[in-house]
C-alpha cells in the first residue's frame, strides 16, 4: 500500500458525514458542534473533581471535522491533543492520559485525524497521510476551537497548549510554527487568547526507529513559543543519550521518564509504573513555562 501524500478526499468524506459512524456510536459519541463543545467546557469549569469523575468523558461528533473527546476541566489549561500514527484517542494510553489530566485540573481534548476515522470505519490498518495534510487538519481544529472559546466570556481567557503523542506531537510542533508564521496575536495583546501559548510532546519521534541520523528536529528552532517534551529514557524514537546530544533550542524543556519506552512502559525491575510515568508527564505539562 502506497503512502498517502496528503489528506485525501476519501479521508475527509469519512469525517464529513453528519451521522455518527458505527465504531464511534458504539463508544457513545453524539452529533455535536463547536457550540456544544463550548457548552460542555463551560459546564466543566464549575465542577469539582468528584463531579467531573462522575460525569465522565464527553464525546461529540462534529461534521466535517470528526470525533472529539473531553476529559477534565479547562480551569488550568486546555490541551488540544493529536494521536500517534497507528491508533487514536480511544487507546488505553490516551484514556489513561486523559484521566490523569482530569485529576490534575486540565482539560484534555483528543481528536482523531480523518485517516484514522476511515481506518476505524473500514476495520483495517492504513498509513497516515504525509505531514502537510495532517498539519492542515490540526490547524483547522485549533482555529475552530479558538473561535468558539473567544465567543464565550467564561472561556475567552482559557490557556491553550497544542500537543500530542508521537506523530501527533510532531504535527503539533509544525502547527505552532505555521501559526507563528501567520502572525498570531500575542497573549499580552488582550484578554482573548486566540492562539496557543505553547506546545507539548509525549514521546516525540526525533527519528524513525533504526534511523538515528534521519532527524526531525530542524524546524524546532523556528518555534518561538516554548515546548515541553516528555520522553522515556529508553524511547527507540530518541532515547536519552541520543537526545541530549542534539543541542535542542532553549525554548524546549525535556522531561525524562525514567526507564520508559515510547508508550511510557517501564521494565518491572525498574520499580516504575506506566501509570506513574503518565502522571509525571501530566505534571510536567502543567508546569509548562508558558503557564507560569
Amino acid at each position: 500500500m502506497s503512502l498517502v501524500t496528503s489528506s485525501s478526499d476519501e479521508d475527509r468524506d469519512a469525517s464529513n458525514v453528519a451521522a455518527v459512524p458505527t465504531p464511534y456510536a458504539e463508544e457513545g459519541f453524539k452529533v455535536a458542534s463547536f457550540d456544544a463543545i463550548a457548552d460542555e467546557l463551560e459546564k466543566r469549569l464549575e465542577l469539582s473533581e468528584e463531579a467531573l469523575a462522575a460525569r465522565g468523558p464527553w464525546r461529540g461528533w462534529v461534521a466535517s471535522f470528526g470525533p472529539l473527546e473531553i476529559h477534565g476541566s479547562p480551569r488550568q489549561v486546555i490541551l488540544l491533543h493529536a494521536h500517534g500514527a497507528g491508533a487514536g484517542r480511544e487507546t488505553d494510553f490516551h484514556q489513561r492520559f486523559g484521566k490523569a489530566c482530569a485529576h490534575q485540573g486540565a482539560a484534555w481534548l483528543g481528536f482523531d485525524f480523518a485517516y484514522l476515522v476511515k481506518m476505524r470505519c473500514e476495520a483495517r490498518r492504513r498509513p497516515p497521510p504525509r505531514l502537510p495534510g495532517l498539519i492542515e487538519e490540526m490547524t483547522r481544529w485549533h482555529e475552530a476551537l479558538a473561535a468558539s472559546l473567544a465567543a464565550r466570556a467564561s472561556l475567552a481567557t482559557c490557556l491553550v497548549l497544542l500537543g500530542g503523542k508521537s506523530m501527533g506531537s510532531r504535527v503539533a510542533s509544525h502547527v505552532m510554527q505555521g501559526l507563528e508564521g501567520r502572525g498570531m496575536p500575542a497573549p499580552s495583546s488582550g484578554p482573548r487568547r486566540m492562539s496557543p501559548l505553547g506546545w507539548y510532546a509525549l514521546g516525540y519521534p526525533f527519528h524513525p526507529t533504526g534511523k538515528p541520523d534521519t532527524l526531525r528536529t530542524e524546524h524546532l528552532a523556528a518555534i518561538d513559543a516554548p515546548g515541553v517534551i516528555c520522553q522515556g529514557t529508553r524511547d527507540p524514537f530518541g532515547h536519552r543519550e541520543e537526545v541530549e546530544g542534539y543541542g535542542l533550542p532553549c525554548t524546549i524543556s525535556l522531561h525524562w521518564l525514567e526507564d520508559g519506552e515510547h508508550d511510557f512502559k517501564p521494565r518491572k525491575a525498574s520499580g516504575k509504573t506506566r501509570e506513574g510515568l503518565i502522571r509525571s508527564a501530566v505534571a510536567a505539562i502543567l508546569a509548562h513555562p508558558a503557564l507560569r
Side-chain angles (χ1 to χ4, degrees), residues 169-227:
S169 69
R170 185 183 176 204
V171 174
S173 68
H174 280 280
V175 172
M176 288 297 302
Q177 179 189 12
L179 290 173
E180 288 181 348
R182 286 157 49 187
M184 295 187 303
S188 60
S189 64
R192 296 195 169 196
R193 299 184 182 276
M194 293 294 291
S195 63
L197 296 178
W199 65 284
Y200 68 91
L202 307 178
Y204 187 83
F206 286 98
H207 58 72
T209 54
K211 298 181 179 179
D213 295 329
T214 307
L215 293 181
R216 297 159 169 164
T217 57
E218 185 176 356
H219 71 289
L220 298 180
I223 305 173
D224 292 331

Side-chain angles (χ1 to χ4, degrees), residues 20-241:
V20 183
T22 298
Y24 292 93
E26 291 173 348
E27 283 188 75
F29 278 83
K30 306 294 183 183
V31 173
S33 64
F34 280 95
D35 279 343
I37 292 169
D39 288 342
E40 180 65 19
L41 290 172
E42 279 189 321
K43 292 174 185 175
R44 286 171 175 261
L45 273 173
E46 306 302 325
L47 297 180
S48 66
E49 184 176 328
E50 292 75 15
L52 284 168
R55 191 175 185 84
W58 179 91
R59 296 182 174 113
W61 177 271
V62 184
S64 82
F65 284 85
L68 183 82
E69 180 169 340
I70 301 175
H71 288 253
S73 168
R75 284 190 295 270
Q76 289 196 55
V77 65
I78 292 173
L79 308 179
L80 181 60
H81 185 95
H83 57 77
R89 38 92 245 143
E90 81 286 355
T91 58
D92 180 68
F93 176 92
H94 286 96
Q95 293 300 306
R96 287 174 184 263
F97 182 77
K99 290 175 183 177
C101 288
H103 286 311
Q104 298 191 45
W108 177 79
L109 278 60
F111 70 92
D112 284 353
F113 286 112
Y115 85 90
L116 195 285
V117 172
K118 187 170 178 61
M119 185 175 85
R120 293 196 70 201
C121 290
E122 294 177 343
R124 66 182 180 89
R125 292 189 65 82
R126 64 199 311 268
R130 294 194 185 276
L131 207 54
L134 298 173
I135 294 169
E136 175 191 3
E137 202 172 334
M138 190 172 188
T139 300
R140 288 180 65 241
W141 271 105
H142 162 257
E143 290 178 342
L145 176 64
S148 68
L149 296 179
R152 307 287 181 102
S154 63
L155 300 174
T157 57
C158 284
L159 308 179
V160 178
L161 299 175
L162 302 187
K165 174 73 175 77
S166 191
M167 179 197 76
S169 69
R170 185 183 176 204
V171 174
S173 68
H174 280 280
V175 172
M176 288 297 302
Q177 179 189 12
L179 290 173
E180 288 181 348
R182 286 157 49 187
M184 295 187 303
S188 60
S189 64
R192 296 195 169 196
R193 299 184 182 276
M194 293 294 291
S195 63
L197 296 178
W199 65 284
Y200 68 91
L202 307 178
Y204 187 83
F206 286 98
H207 58 72
T209 54
K211 298 181 179 179
D213 295 329
T214 307
L215 293 181
R216 297 159 169 164
T217 57
E218 185 176 356
H219 71 289
L220 298 180
I223 305 173
D224 292 331
V228 170
I229 296 177
C230 302
Q231 195 85 354
T233 57
R234 297 188 300 116
D235 192 324
F237 290 87
H239 57 70
R240 186 166 193 162
E241 290 76 13

